């Protein structure tokens, strides 16, 4: 871990309730021993949510097409796996209802193949119960261990009268999902073909199930947040720190070296939210990800490790996560998997007042093996990040040394690596086009939507342009060029496959192309993105190296929307030919 223990911020005694004990030693070990195995832990990365939803829909389609199940049953069965992950408390009830429904359907001809019901559906329902029950009991053991650690000391939460905002977003998102799901289910009978009607009904029920799941999560979080405010809560003295991605890690009170984070939780600080967002952005590695991006949280699973290993082999390796300094804090509430808490921590800067942070997401414990793997990964990432920094510094110094008289205008544009990336993206579209051989309208609608997304991406990848003049840089886009003043431009770096420019306000611009660090070192070549980032970084650091003239409209690049529209029309024509309309 990269926390500097000398930066430990102290919490004033006035902010610590009387009798509050430190969470340390055997009490912490008892809590960590109650954690479920890492295989049963849940990581709320956005990529996992997307993967679960996509896998669930594909499983529902397979049960519909190949298993012969009715649309409602085919849609609800994959939701059971999602409930095991995020709503284990309802798995017992949902498994019992689905078990009865499957048995009833099997006894009412025409029914699905017996191998589907007996070999896939029923075993999956039975096997879904033990993991959910194990996680539920593990949460109860965590709660008991945390209550024992507090030694019965409780205190009223500060600002307990503040309006409860927890769960608002999820409740609204759940309602928004219910509307299209209900509409799609109701309008499924209007589809021209029987198979399209079945797919539409299945998808509508699946979306309704997702909406109810999100709605239940919001209601549950809101209920737990209100319960935390209604009565004095157990209190514990701990250490906290903000991660580079905006979450907060809680550690034992005696873990000054930050070797074993206990859990992570998303928090909000209503009084100092802007300041904390700025501080977090400043702590983010210039080679890291957006601190507000939920997709970049750590604790990777095996799939993540495989993807990271592949990326390490092609690029310069992982990026070191730079966390904030350790701060003393008081934890209000009982931490367990899914709990709601409140943290009152020392100010990040000396002399500041204590910071009150309400949880905006559930507590997610970190397993012992996950922490060990992350520690090894961060050490390896720190070495590679130092090497990347040194390489980038060398390139910047070389740019500054060879720069003579500044040019009036400097331009960069897409090159061979971008053309290769565009070709690979187009190939995916071609393969998808020929893979869809079914005459279902539903399939071709999905094919059209995927192609429409590609039509907006390909022109940018193929024709991006950066123009630098004395006022700043211009980035061409689909609609019009965007101007970034030099004073607002923060950094330019090649990160993995991406060329990323960042400026004030948290915005960024990204293009991606293939990159192989080992191949470049073997051939003693510099990637075009590295060269471009070095030139821009030199200009950001030294105003004397910046262009001296003003760029014209033609030099800034034309809007790319005509090319996107042409590609979209061409793709729509191909889909129409495939469907037989043309």
């Amino acid at each position: 871990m990269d926390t500097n223990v000398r930066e430990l911020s102290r919490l004033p005694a006035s902010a610590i309730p009387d009798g509050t004990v430190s969470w340390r030693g055997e009490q912490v070990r008892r809590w960590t021993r109650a954690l479920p195995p890492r295989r049963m832990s849940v990581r709320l990365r956005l990529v996992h949510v997307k993967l679960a939803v996509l896998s669930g829909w594909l499983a529902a389609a397979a049960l519909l097409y190949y298993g012969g199940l009715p649309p409602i049953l085919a849609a609800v069965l994959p939701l059971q796996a999602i409930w095991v992950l995020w709503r284990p408390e309802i798995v017992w009830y949902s498994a019992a209802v689905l078990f009865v429904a499957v048995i009833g359907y099997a006894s009412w001809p025409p029914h699905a193949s017996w191998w589907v019901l007996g070999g896939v559906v029923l075993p999956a329902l039975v096997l879904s119960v033990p993991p959910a029950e194990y996680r539920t009991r593990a949460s109860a053991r965590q709660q008991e261990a945390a209550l024992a650690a507090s030694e019965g000391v409780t205190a009223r939460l500060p600002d307990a009268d503040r309006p409860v905002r927890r769960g608002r977003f999820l409740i609204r998102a759940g309602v928004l999902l219910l509307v299209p799901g209900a509409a799609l289910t109701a309008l499924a009978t209007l589809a021209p073909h029987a198979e399209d009607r079945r797919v539409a009904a299945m998808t509508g029920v699946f979306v309704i199930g997702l909406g109810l799941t999100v709605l239940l999560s919001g209601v549950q979080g809101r209920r737990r947040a209100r319960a935390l405010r209604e009565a004095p809560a157990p209190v514990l003295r701990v250490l906290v720190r903000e991660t580079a991605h905006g979450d907060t890690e809680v550690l034992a009170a005696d873990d000054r070296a930050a070797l074993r984070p206990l859990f992570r939780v998303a928090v909000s600080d209503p009084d100092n939210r802007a300041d904390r967002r700025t501080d977090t952005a400043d702590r983010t590695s210039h080679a890291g990800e957006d601190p507000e991006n939920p997709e970049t949280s750590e604790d990777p699973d095996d799939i993540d490790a495989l993807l990271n290993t592949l990326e390490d082999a092609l690029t310069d390796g992982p990026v070191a996560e730079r966390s904030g300094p350790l701060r003393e804090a008081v934890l209000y509430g009982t931490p367990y998997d899914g709990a709601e808490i409140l943290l009152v921590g020392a100010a990040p800067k000396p002399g500041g007042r204590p910071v009150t942070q309400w949880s905006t997401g559930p507590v997610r414990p970190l397993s012992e093996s996950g922490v060990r793997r992350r520690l090894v990964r961060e050490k390896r990432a720190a070495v590679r990040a130092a090497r990347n920094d040194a390489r980038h510094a060398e390139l910047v110094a070389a740019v500054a040394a060879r720069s003579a008289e500044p040019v009036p205008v400097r331009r960069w544009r897409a090159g061979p690596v971008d053309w290769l990336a565009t070709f690979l993206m187009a190939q995916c579209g071609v393969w998808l086009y020929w893979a869809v051989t079914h005459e279902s309208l539903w399939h071709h609608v999905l094919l059209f939507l995927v192609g429409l997304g590609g039509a907006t991406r390909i022109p940018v990848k193929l024709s991006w342009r950066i123009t630098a003049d004395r006022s700043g840089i211009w980035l061409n886009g689909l609609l019009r060029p965007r101007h970034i003043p030099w004073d607002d431009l923060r950094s330019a770096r090649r990160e993995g496959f991406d060329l990323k420019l960042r400026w004030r306000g948290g915005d960024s611009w990204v293009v991606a192309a293939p990159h192989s660090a080992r191949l470049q070192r073997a051939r003693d070549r510099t990637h075009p993105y590295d060269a471009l980032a070095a030139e821009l970084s030199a200009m950001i650091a030294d105003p004397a190296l910046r262009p001296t003239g003003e760029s014209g409209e033609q030099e800034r690049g034309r809007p790319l929307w005509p090319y996107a529209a042409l590609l979209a029309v061409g793709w729509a024509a191909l889909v129409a030919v495939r469907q037989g309309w043309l």
Side-chain angles (χ1 to χ4, degrees):
M1 305 296 176
D2 57 1
T3 298
N4 189 341
V5 297
R6 293 175 298 178
E7 296 180 355
L8 180 63
S9 299
R10 299 289 182 177
L11 187 64
S14 58
I16 304 175
D18 295 337
T20 303
V21 298
S22 297
W23 198 15
R24 63 174 70 191
E26 180 58 30
Q27 296 291 359
V28 170
R29 288 188 288 272
R30 178 184 173 187
W31 188 86
T32 56
R33 285 196 299 266
L35 298 178
R38 184 172 179 272
R39 294 291 181 184
M40 294 186 181
S41 61
V42 177
R43 305 162 213 30
L44 288 180
R45 292 182 61 184
L46 185 58
V47 65
H48 294 132
V49 177
K50 292 179 180 179
L51 183 61
V53 172
L54 177 60
S55 301
W57 187 87
L58 292 176
L63 291 173
L64 184 71
Y65 281 114
Y66 306 111
L69 295 183
I72 296 179
L73 200 56
V76 176
L77 284 172
L79 289 172
Q80 179 76 357
I82 295 178
W83 295 333
V84 170
L85 293 175
W86 286 290
R87 295 265 61 93
E89 62 272 10
I90 69 172
V91 168
W92 263 110
Y93 308 101
S94 60
V97 172
L98 288 174
F99 190 87
V100 173
V102 170
I103 295 298
Y105 174 72
S107 61
W108 187 272
H111 53 71
S113 302
W114 279 106
W115 71 267
V116 175
L117 295 177
V120 178
V121 176
L122 292 179
L125 286 177
V126 173
L127 293 177
S128 68
V129 175
E133 180 66 14
Y134 192 97
R135 285 185 55 208
T136 302
R137 294 187 180 184
S139 297
R141 293 194 299 269
Q142 296 165 33
Q143 191 171 10
E144 293 175 0
L147 286 173
S150 67
E151 299 181 1
V153 179
T154 60
R156 295 286 300 182
L157 273 67
D159 299 332
D161 297 333
R162 186 184 293 272
V164 179
R165 297 183 178 180
R166 176 76 171 98
R168 287 184 181 179
F169 173 77
L170 291 179
I171 292 174
R172 293 172 182 173
V175 173
L176 290 178
L177 283 174
L178 290 176
V179 173
L184 187 59
T185 304
L187 298 177
T189 56
L190 302 180
H193 303 293
E195 188 170 334
D196 292 334
R197 291 193 291 270
R198 283 165 51 83
V199 174
M202 179 271 293
T203 304
V205 174
F206 185 76
V207 174
I208 290 175
L210 291 177
L212 291 174
T213 304
V214 174
L215 182 63
L216 177 61
S217 298
V219 172
Q220 186 80 325
R222 193 172 184 84
R223 184 186 67 81
R224 289 175 177 173
R226 284 180 173 174
L228 183 63
R229 290 163 168 81
E230 290 175 353
V235 289
L236 289 167
R237 296 187 64 174
V238 295
L239 299 179
V240 298
R241 66 174 182 177
E242 276 68 38
T243 70
H245 309 303
D247 291 337
T248 293
E249 283 184 342
V250 175
L251 305 95
D254 56 352
D255 190 6
R256 297 286 300 274
L259 297 176
R260 177 57 173 98
L262 301 176
F263 61 85
R264 281 187 174 184
V265 61
V267 297
S268 68
D269 178 7
D271 297 328
N272 302 288
R273 188 176 301 165
D275 295 337
R276 288 187 63 250
R277 192 159 49 233
T278 301
D279 294 340
T280 304
D282 292 340
R283 286 195 307 271
T284 305
S285 167
H286 52 253
E289 297 292 339
D290 188 341
E292 300 297 330
N293 187 355
E295 293 189 41
T296 57
S297 60
E298 288 291 336
D299 196 18
D301 56 14
D302 291 340
I303 296 178
D304 295 331
L306 178 60
L307 295 177
N308 291 331
T309 302
L310 177 61
E311 184 174 353
D312 293 351
L314 297 175
T315 66
D316 287 339
V319 174
E321 176 181 322
R322 300 179 180 177
S323 302
L326 282 175
R327 299 181 290 119
E328 289 185 341
V330 174
L331 185 154
Y332 290 78
T334 307
Y336 60 92
D337 188 6
E340 304 289 330
I341 63 170
L342 180 139
L343 295 169
V344 177
K349 298 179 180 179
R353 60 190 179 90
V355 179
T356 301
Q357 299 172 318
W358 297 90
S359 60
T360 59
V363 166
R364 291 305 175 196
L366 301 174
S367 64
E368 190 73 36
S369 60
V371 172
R372 288 197 301 267
R373 288 185 57 180
R374 192 183 68 173
L375 180 60
V376 173
R377 179 172 172 80
E378 286 184 357
K379 289 180 179 179
R380 182 162 55 97
V383 173
R384 297 198 176 185
R387 185 178 64 189
N388 291 344
D389 291 345
R391 175 60 175 165
H392 181 71
E394 290 178 2
L395 293 175
V396 173
V399 170
R402 70 170 181 263
S403 296
E405 189 70 20
V407 297
V409 177
R410 182 73 171 93
R411 295 190 299 272
W412 302 268
R413 62 179 64 197
V417 293
D418 301 285
W419 304 338
L420 177 59
T422 306
F423 173 77
L424 295 176
M425 177 178 286
Q427 287 299 304
C428 294
V430 172
W431 295 335
L432 180 63
Y433 179 82
W434 289 110
V436 177
T437 59
H438 204 280
E439 295 183 357
S440 172
L441 175 63
W442 180 257
H443 289 176
H444 288 87
V445 169
L446 290 178
L447 185 64
F448 171 74
L449 294 177
V450 172
L452 190 62
T456 61
R457 293 291 301 165
I458 287 179
V460 176
K461 296 179 71 66
L462 194 62
S463 304
W464 64 263
R465 180 182 294 185
I466 302 176
T467 305
D469 58 19
R470 66 180 182 182
S471 63
I473 63 172
W474 295 84
L475 307 171
N476 69 337
L478 286 176
L479 300 180
R480 57 184 177 275
R482 183 170 185 176
H483 182 247
I484 312 298
W486 286 112
D487 292 340
D488 291 344
L489 192 60
R490 293 179 52 199
S491 66
R493 287 296 298 266
R494 194 266 309 156
E495 304 171 5
F497 299 121
D498 299 337
L499 169 65
K500 180 171 289 188
L501 310 183
R502 290 188 177 91
W503 53 87
R504 293 185 189 275
D507 291 337
S508 62
W509 178 88
V510 181
V511 290
H515 172 265
S516 174
R518 290 179 174 84
L519 182 61
Q520 287 179 206
R521 286 194 293 268
R523 293 178 174 267
D524 194 21
R525 298 288 183 87
T526 300
H527 195 277
Y529 286 179
D530 286 324
L532 191 160
E535 288 191 64
L536 277 179
S537 298
M539 294 178 184
I540 294 172
D542 187 359
L545 302 177
R546 299 171 185 173
T548 57
E550 287 287 349
S551 59
E553 292 186 3
Q554 295 297 328
E555 294 174 304
R556 298 168 186 170
R558 298 176 181 177
L560 302 177
W561 66 265
Y563 306 106
L566 183 62
L567 286 175
V569 172
W571 183 262
L574 289 175
V575 174
V577 170
R578 192 76 169 177
Q579 180 68 13
W581 296 339
L582 295 179

